Amino acid sequence: MTDTTLSLPGLRSVLRSLWQDQRVWLASALILAVLAVFDPVQAGESALFAGDALLRTAPYLVLSIAIAAWAGATSADNLIARAFTGAPVLMIGLGALAGGLSPFCSCGVIPLIAALLAMGVPLSAVMAFWLASPVMDPSMFVLTAGVLDMEFAVAKTFAAIGLGVFGGTVVHLMSRGGAFADPLREGIGNGGCGGAKVRAPKPVVWRFWQEPQRREKFASTALNTTLFLAKWLTLAFLIESLMLAWIPAETVTSVLGGEGLLPIAMATLVGVPAYLNGYAALPLVGGLIDQGMAPGAGMAFLVAGGVTSIPAAMAVWALARPPVFILYIALSLTGAFATGLLFQLWTFA
């Protein structure tokens, strides 16, 4: 009896610790376990979908993780941070431009975001990059021009940059009042800073592999970032697979059809849960436009969905504190609606 009494608190402590440390992996395992019981076919398809999605994003993830680990191991992070400091307007513009033209996907850019915030780069410039990056990249530009048209691709590029500038400006104005002083969750990076302060510079050692401590830092940073991304992206892609299986495209079509302001507003809101993949969304939008959907609604759907897609939103939630996450969603929805409205006026001008 005594042994049982003593073991139960210990067991509860172990289970509590396991849930706190591994709750994301446990959630993914629980989803697959429930599917295996009630829908074994979907369980296999979801597992394959998540694995395939991780493989497809792997090149971007490996590159971004390597850059983040390299910056920390060489102490080049201070140089990068200094490159993002200066006049707020200029830094916001450069952040939005870099985000709109960078080849990183919404998930692959997360290690860079964490590293920049941890270095002390202002949240306003980082937010500009953060918002613009998921909307457009070089391959997306080419595909958008092919599936829709060149006008749509160019407009979407300007929308990405404009969204970044808009979001960065709002964050800058709010930060002047003392908001978002510590944007990163506890344990991510070194806490970060929302102001323009950059840590005291350290000597940069480009050949970091010649020093054991720097090699160890590179390895630990790369490993921790990889595990952090892997657990959240696995869960995100599992959820995405279920959305693909259980939400018919016809449902989205029926909601987003029509003209006027209401379809643009609906497209902005529906883009949050219904946007599944940047490349898969293009044929869907093209089909909707062929069926009579207003171009502005299509633009709003693509912009809002790109920024707030399940993988992107979950990555932001895992990385940033709740107030930053809420602002991220609010800025994306507001900017997407404004972008759709402007594009609608442009096409009918």
Side-chain angles (χ1 to χ4, degrees):
M1 186 67 177
T2 305
D3 293 339
T4 303
T5 304
L6 291 175
S7 64
L8 286 178
L11 179 61
R12 285 197 295 267
S13 177
V14 171
L15 292 177
R16 188 183 302 112
S17 177
L18 181 63
W19 173 252
Q20 290 176 348
D21 296 339
Q22 306 297 335
R23 60 183 179 274
V24 180
W25 285 120
L26 291 174
S28 297
L30 180 61
I31 291 175
L32 290 176
V34 172
L35 287 174
V37 173
F38 295 99
D39 192 347
V41 175
Q42 184 59 48
E45 291 179 353
S46 294
L48 290 175
F49 179 91
D52 180 66
L54 288 171
L55 288 176
R56 283 188 285 106
T57 58
Y60 299 105
L61 296 177
V62 170
L63 178 60
S64 57
I65 290 169
I67 291 175
W70 168 83
T74 60
S75 298
D77 50 5
N78 293 280
L79 300 179
I80 299 173
R82 288 181 178 276
F84 269 84
T85 58
V89 175
L90 178 60
M91 292 303 102
I92 291 171
L94 290 176
L97 184 63
L101 301 179
S102 71
F104 295 108
C105 65
S106 56
C107 303
V109 78
I110 295 301
L112 294 182
I113 295 296
L116 288 172
L117 289 175
M119 294 169 202
V121 175
L123 180 61
S124 57
V126 175
M127 183 64 77
F129 180 82
W130 208 344
L131 288 169
S133 182
V135 179
M136 182 57 73
D137 58 56
S139 59
M140 179 67 71
F141 181 91
V142 174
L143 190 60
T144 303
V147 175
L148 300 176
D149 56 46
M150 181 59 69
E151 182 184 28
F152 209 105
V154 173
K156 192 162 179 271
T157 303
F158 279 108
I161 298 173
L163 178 61
V165 171
F166 165 69
T169 302
V170 171
V171 171
H172 172 65
L173 294 176
M174 296 179 69
S175 297
R176 292 177 64 180
F180 312 118
D182 190 12
L184 290 175
R185 287 183 181 272
E186 185 178 355
I188 304 298
N190 66 353
C193 178
K197 182 181 179 181
V198 179
R199 297 175 311 213
K202 301 176 182 178
V204 179
V205 179
W206 299 112
R207 299 181 179 180
F208 70 90
W209 56 87
Q210 296 179 347
E211 299 183 15
Q213 286 186 330
R214 293 181 180 272
R215 289 200 305 268
E216 182 179 350
K217 184 175 183 179
F218 178 89
S220 62
T221 301
L223 177 61
N224 292 335
T225 305
T226 300
L227 293 176
F228 169 78
L229 285 173
K231 65 182 182 181
W232 282 102
L233 290 181
T234 299
L235 178 59
F237 288 136
L238 284 175
I239 296 175
E240 183 178 355
S241 71
L242 298 180
M243 292 178 64
L244 278 170
W246 295 342
I247 302 179
E250 293 78 8
T251 302
V252 180
T253 303
S254 64
V255 173
L256 300 182
E259 297 182 357
L261 289 179
L262 183 59
I264 297 177
M266 290 299 298
T268 302
L269 296 176
V270 172
V272 176
Y275 188 94
L276 304 172
N277 177 277
Y279 300 100
L282 290 174
L284 173 62
V285 170
L288 290 172
I289 292 176
D290 291 340
Q291 296 177 22
M293 184 180 71
M299 180 65 74
F301 179 81
L302 290 175
V303 173
V307 181
T308 60
S309 63
I310 294 296
M314 289 188 67
V316 177
W317 173 259
L319 180 66
R321 295 183 183 274
V324 177
F325 174 80
I326 293 172
L327 180 64
Y328 176 88
I329 298 297
L331 290 173
S332 65
L333 295 180
T334 305
F337 178 78
T339 297
L341 182 60
L342 291 173
F343 187 63
Q344 182 78 353
L345 294 175
W346 170 262
T347 55
F348 286 98

